[in-house]
Amino acid sequence: MCGECDESAWGFNYELFTHQTTFFGMKCVFLGCYNGQKLGAVDEGEIRTYSRTGVDADGNATFARVLLAKGVMRGAVLIGDVESAETFENLILDGIDLTRFGPTLLDPEIDIDDYFD
């Protein structure tokens, strides 16, 4: 977990912090640098966060936030509606420039999974 590998790890290293839990009965997923930790070398002007709140089909509140540093997704928080978690995880690992998408990354009318999955 700290970037070091010994014989018992069989060459397996963690590439991305991912945590899924349930809080007050809602699924919560935290990916990568979801709260901006370890972004000290990035100028504050090059960090963007986009958030969306909404209601799912069952009437439950949802929340999503992504963090982009220099146009590359570095973290995400998904509460309630966690269907995009795998896509966001792949976007963080791929490190592609998402600047042109901006807040549409979280638009519920656009199935972002179809673009990047």
Side-chain angles (χ1 to χ4, degrees):
M1 288 177 61
C2 61
E4 297 179 18
C5 182
D6 60 12
E7 305 147 6
S8 63
W10 301 296
F12 179 78
N13 290 317
Y14 292 95
E15 295 181 86
L16 175 70
F17 172 81
T18 303
H19 182 72
Q20 181 171 342
T21 189
T22 302
F23 191 66
F24 290 113
M26 300 176 74
K27 289 182 183 178
C28 303
V29 176
F30 304 95
L31 300 169
C33 301
Y34 63 92
N35 64 356
Q37 71 275 31
K38 298 185 180 180
L39 295 179
V42 179
D43 184 36
E44 213 173 289
E46 296 179 305
I47 297 175
R48 298 277 183 264
T49 59
Y50 302 110
S51 301
R52 173 185 55 82
T53 58
V55 178
D56 66 10
D58 298 328
N60 299 317
T62 63
F63 173 80
R65 181 183 70 209
V66 295
L67 184 141
L68 280 69
K70 296 183 179 181
V72 176
M73 188 178 296
R74 298 291 303 272
V77 175
L78 303 168
I79 301 173
D81 180 17
V82 296
E83 292 179 13
S84 298
E86 186 176 352
T87 301
F88 289 160
E89 182 177 353
N90 290 332
L91 287 172
I92 293 169
L93 290 171
D94 291 344
I96 60 176
D97 187 2
L98 302 169
T99 305
R100 66 187 178 118
F101 294 99
T104 60
L105 286 166
L106 297 174
D107 189 342
E109 298 297 318
I110 298 173
D111 194 3
I112 199 75
D113 300 347
D114 289 343
Y115 287 100
F116 296 106
D117 214 16

